[in-house]
Every structure is written in structure tokens, then in C-alpha cells.
Amino acid sequence: GLDINQPNYNGVTPIMALVSHNNPDPQILTKMINAGSDVTKYDHNNYTILHHVFMCKTSSYSDIAMIIIKSGCISNTSVKTPIGTMFTPLTKLFGNLDIQNIILLFNAGYDIQRDKLIQRCLKSRHVHKFEEETIYTQCVKLINHELKRVAPLQRLCRTVIINSMNGIQVQMKILKLPLPNKLLNYMKLDCDPS
């Protein structure tokens, strides 16, 4: 049979190719992940599947990004676009003011300390205490808070599990672990801040 993770000559895997097209089908994406597609692979340009999502023009990018993050892709690699601009998944989420996926990315174990691009981006963007509360100010406060705090145990556990499972079907594997329900619920990836 075919290898679902076989890259092409550019290192692009079938699942990367799927999300690179405009308006990829979330159901097909989920089926590919469940069939064993590795969401942690890099192509020859050092892009992960999450970087590919941000490179295409899709109206449903937020839903697609959520599926991919929940599947274990939490890379903070900085990459260059064809026009020369640099970005990380977090800088793209911040630029799109996607607070739900920013929270999910942090809860999944994103290492913000290694993301020098977001730190440079926020250096000149301080929120004043009298500034009106907007999604933008919420995003700035959330990211600045993450930069200052020590990662909670829940996040560290998720990161270890994700790394040991190589990012393949992480959420499903977490739920199948022989652990008490209370601990399994604690380990679930969701968008609630922790």
C-alpha cells in the first residue's frame, strides 16, 4: 500500500498538500490524521503542516489549525515566506487575533520562550491599563502573561506525551491511556485557559 507520510521532492507530505489548498475539508484532514499522518514532519523549507495552513488563503483556517494543534503539531519554528517575511505559528495566530487557537497552542505545550519573533513583535506593543478591552489587547495580555509565567504541570505533561508519541494521533492516544478518568480529563486538549 501507499505510505501516508511519503513526502514529495520538496518534502511535502500528503497531509501538508491537503491543507495547502484553499478550503481543505476538515473531515478529510481528520481521517488522514486518524489513519496515521504525522503532523510533526518538516518539509525542505522547514515548514510544518501548521505553517502550510497559514500560507494558504482559506476561510476555515481557524478550524483547520485547531485540528492540527490538537493532533500534536506545536512547532515554534520561524520560517520565511516566498516574499521574505518571517513568521511562526504564534505570530500568525496573533496577527489574525485568533485568541482561541493561541490558548490552545499554549495549552498544547508551545514553547514561547523559544519564539524570539513573537517577543520582538510584542516589544513595542504594551497595553495600557486604561486601554479599552479588545481582542487585540486580550491577545497581547495573554502572550505577555505566557512569557512571564512558568509552564503549569498539565502543559509539561502534555508536552512530554506529545513528544513521546511523535505527534501522531496524540489526542486519541491520550484518551486511550490506562489512567483514571479525572486524570484523562485533565490531560485533554481544549481551549480553556489553564
Side-chain angles (χ1 to χ4, degrees):
L2 289 173
D3 179 2
I4 198 161
N5 292 307
Q6 180 65 43
N8 67 12
Y9 61 92
N10 287 322
V12 175
T13 63
I15 199 165
M16 288 177 186
L18 172 71
V19 301
S20 295
H21 290 90
N22 290 342
N23 297 315
D25 186 334
Q27 291 178 335
I28 294 173
L29 175 64
T30 302
K31 285 179 183 177
M32 289 182 77
I33 291 167
N34 291 340
S37 288
D38 186 349
V39 297
T40 63
K41 288 194 174 279
Y42 291 83
D43 69 13
H44 297 320
N45 291 317
N46 215 25
Y47 284 35
T48 65
I49 185 173
L50 202 49
H51 293 97
H52 280 274
V53 168
F54 296 122
M55 291 299 294
C56 74
K57 306 288 186 234
T58 176
S59 58
S60 62
Y61 99 90
S62 185
D63 296 333
I64 299 298
M66 184 176 291
I67 292 167
I68 292 166
I69 294 166
K70 284 184 174 185
S71 297
C73 184
I74 53 171
S75 168
N76 60 357
T77 306
S78 177
V79 296
K80 198 177 270 192
T81 66
I83 59 170
T85 56
M86 299 291 288
F87 78 92
T88 63
L90 182 56
T91 58
K92 281 294 190 178
L93 291 172
F94 176 61
N96 292 326
L97 301 177
D98 188 348
I99 196 161
Q100 185 177 10
N101 277 328
I102 290 172
I103 291 168
L104 183 63
L105 194 63
F106 288 147
N107 286 341
Y110 189 82
D111 186 357
I112 193 168
Q113 300 304 326
R114 293 183 54 212
D115 189 339
K116 302 303 179 200
L117 206 52
I118 194 70
Q119 293 176 36
R120 273 187 271 143
C121 182
L122 289 179
K123 234 178 194 165
S124 62
R125 298 183 183 176
H126 298 287
V127 177
H128 304 286
K129 66 180 181 179
F130 300 112
E131 193 170 334
E132 181 183 337
E133 188 74 14
T134 63
I135 292 178
Y136 171 79
T137 59
Q138 289 174 6
C139 287
V140 171
K141 286 178 182 178
L142 174 65
I143 294 169
N144 279 326
H145 174 74
E146 287 296 323
L147 279 166
K148 294 174 187 166
R149 82 178 192 153
V150 176
L153 180 60
Q154 180 181 20
R155 184 175 307 157
L156 295 172
C157 290
R158 285 183 183 147
T159 304
V160 168
I161 290 170
I162 287 169
N163 290 340
S164 68
M165 293 180 176
N166 297 322
I168 301 171
Q169 302 173 337
V170 172
Q171 188 66 32
M172 261 187 348
K173 287 180 181 177
I174 287 174
L175 296 177
K176 289 181 181 177
L177 290 172
L179 299 171
N181 284 338
K182 190 170 185 174
L183 186 56
L184 285 175
N185 287 335
Y186 184 71
M187 295 301 298
K188 257 190 234 176
L189 276 179
D190 54 40
C191 298
D192 296 331
S194 56

